[in-house]
Amino acid sequence: MCEEYLKKLSQIVINEGLRDTFKTQKRLIELNKMYSSDTVIYHSDNIRGKCIVYYGSITDPAAIDTYEFKLGKVKKEETISNVLKLNMWEERFNNTIRDGKPTLEYIKSDILIWVNESKNNKYKKQFIETLNVFYKYTGQIIVLYKEFNGELKRIKPIYKINAGISLEELYTYAKYKSEEFWCREFTGKIMFVKTYWNRQLGVFFPDSETIKFSEYMNGTQTKEKIFDTLVHELVHWHLHTSGKKYRDEDFEFIEECLRVGCGLSDAAGAQRAYRDYCVSLNLSNKNMNMGELNELSI
């Protein structure tokens, strides 16, 4: 009996195309109250396209069991994003070079002009009524709206004030510098990721020997800055693959960055390590000078 009841409720959720964990749970509990039964739904989790429902019985609330069902999907052609061609707006926005960071009012106005050209008033109305444009604490642009099933959808457009650098240019420069500085072939990987780092342009991941650049940051920096960051990450790669200390706080890393002429990390720990390195270098020079004086006095 429980199985049939839960199957009935889950089918409603499937038909509505709900996939958000919070929305799915809220809807199941709402349906549980709407269609009276001895079965009580306590909680649900969405994991890898499946919903796990935790339920019990009014007569035996301590006996908790689980029921699983595969989540449904809203057909692409029936989504607001597809009907209003929001991906085309995003692509146009991303490829536009600007004088500076656009204001929220400008971004909202720009997307509304695009949406208002659509003749589908139903989807247009839903989008406009639920639209919210804001900056995350990191500075990333978020365009938020609701689909018909109540799920929140996000667009994360990228603004550019520079043309940016292609992946091919990064690989060419990395290979050239690796040969110049260390007489070895660059065997690592470079890739762009849709991750917004507030202070970092690129990051080296030692496990995969990959240098990742933020696609969001790429178009906001000059070529000189991007290439300088690439060399910094190459130092990480070279030292790591050579079995040496390669972290920002390691003296060996700081020394190699200074040798090849790239910038150091702005992170507090890295800057503190640089100051300590300078102190140790001064002490070392003083000791060498004292040694020379002792030799002269003999």
Side-chain angles (χ1 to χ4, degrees):
M1 192 68 179
C2 280
E3 292 281 325
E4 287 298 317
Y5 177 75
L6 291 168
K7 186 177 180 180
K8 175 185 173 181
L9 301 192
S10 64
Q11 193 58 53
I12 295 171
V13 172
I14 292 168
N15 293 340
E16 291 177 352
L18 291 172
R19 296 184 72 81
D20 178 78
T21 302
F22 177 74
K23 290 284 182 184
T24 303
Q25 179 177 287
K26 186 179 178 182
R27 185 59 172 148
L28 283 167
I29 292 172
E30 185 181 88
L31 291 169
N32 189 209
K33 291 176 181 176
M34 191 183 301
Y35 300 101
S36 58
S37 169
D38 289 341
T39 303
V40 181
I41 294 175
Y42 299 117
H43 179 69
S44 72
D45 279 324
N46 292 2
I47 302 172
R48 295 175 185 171
K50 285 185 178 181
C51 180
I52 304 170
V53 184
Y54 298 86
Y55 70 94
S57 171
I58 294 173
T59 55
D60 189 8
I64 299 174
D65 210 339
T66 60
Y67 175 81
E68 291 186 20
F69 66 92
K70 191 175 180 180
L71 293 161
K73 288 183 180 179
V74 177
K75 292 179 180 178
K76 187 178 179 181
E77 58 271 20
E78 295 176 0
T79 62
I80 288 175
S81 176
N82 187 71
V83 173
L84 300 182
K85 296 180 172 58
L86 298 180
N87 61 321
M88 291 177 67
W89 169 82
E90 184 182 4
E91 185 177 349
R92 188 198 67 175
F93 187 94
N94 292 353
N95 291 328
T96 303
I97 307 299
R98 306 172 194 280
D99 294 332
K101 194 172 186 177
T103 63
L104 296 178
E105 291 76 16
Y106 172 84
I107 299 165
K108 189 171 184 178
S109 173
D110 192 56
I111 195 169
L112 284 175
I113 290 169
W114 176 276
V115 168
N116 278 320
E117 291 178 0
S118 172
K119 295 179 181 178
N120 194 310
N121 292 324
K122 177 185 174 185
Y123 285 79
K124 186 162 63 176
K125 185 174 183 291
Q126 169 78 5
F127 178 83
I128 292 171
E129 287 181 350
T130 62
L131 176 64
N132 185 19
V133 182
F134 60 95
Y135 286 121
K136 281 185 72 174
Y137 68 93
T138 56
Q140 183 179 15
I141 302 166
I142 303 293
V143 176
L144 194 72
Y145 66 94
K146 280 186 181 181
E147 276 290 352
F148 282 112
N149 61 11
E151 287 194 334
L152 291 172
K153 296 294 179 182
R154 290 176 174 83
I155 304 173
K156 300 174 181 178
I158 304 165
Y159 74 90
K160 290 183 178 180
I161 56 176
N162 293 296
I165 291 180
S166 69
L167 201 59
E168 185 180 355
E169 286 178 286
L170 289 173
Y171 266 111
T172 300
Y173 196 78
K175 289 175 181 177
Y176 171 71
K177 287 298 177 182
S178 184
E179 288 288 349
E180 179 187 353
F181 294 140
W182 306 296
C183 300
R184 60 177 296 197
E185 182 185 359
F186 174 66
T187 56
K189 298 176 185 176
I190 305 173
M191 63 187 296
F192 284 120
V193 291
K194 287 187 176 292
T195 301
Y196 196 101
W197 296 310
N198 190 30
R199 296 176 62 84
Q200 293 170 299
L201 174 59
V203 177
F204 173 65
F205 290 80
D207 290 345
S208 56
E209 295 180 12
T210 302
I211 297 169
K212 296 184 180 181
F213 277 85
S214 167
E215 195 172 336
Y216 296 103
M217 295 292 286
N218 183 41
T220 64
Q221 306 296 319
T222 62
K223 281 195 172 186
E224 290 75 15
K225 174 63 178 172
I226 294 170
F227 282 141
D228 181 72
T229 300
L230 176 57
V231 173
H232 175 98
E233 303 308 326
L234 284 173
V235 174
H236 281 300
W237 165 80
H238 168 66
L239 293 177
H240 170 71
T241 54
S242 301
K244 299 175 182 178
K245 292 182 178 180
Y246 63 93
R247 301 188 185 280
D248 286 307
E249 299 81 7
D250 294 326
F251 282 8
E252 200 165 354
F253 175 81
I254 294 168
E255 195 167 49
E256 188 63 11
C257 282
L258 295 175
R259 186 186 76 81
V260 301
C262 68
L264 298 170
S265 171
D266 290 333
Q271 288 297 309
R272 186 167 53 249
Y274 174 63
R275 289 193 294 272
D276 292 343
Y277 170 79
C278 291
V279 170
S280 70
L281 202 61
N282 289 334
L283 288 174
S284 177
N285 288 336
K286 283 180 181 179
N287 289 336
M288 285 177 66
N289 292 335
M290 286 298 293
E292 290 171 3
L293 287 170
N294 289 335
E295 285 179 8
L296 289 171
S297 63
I298 293 172

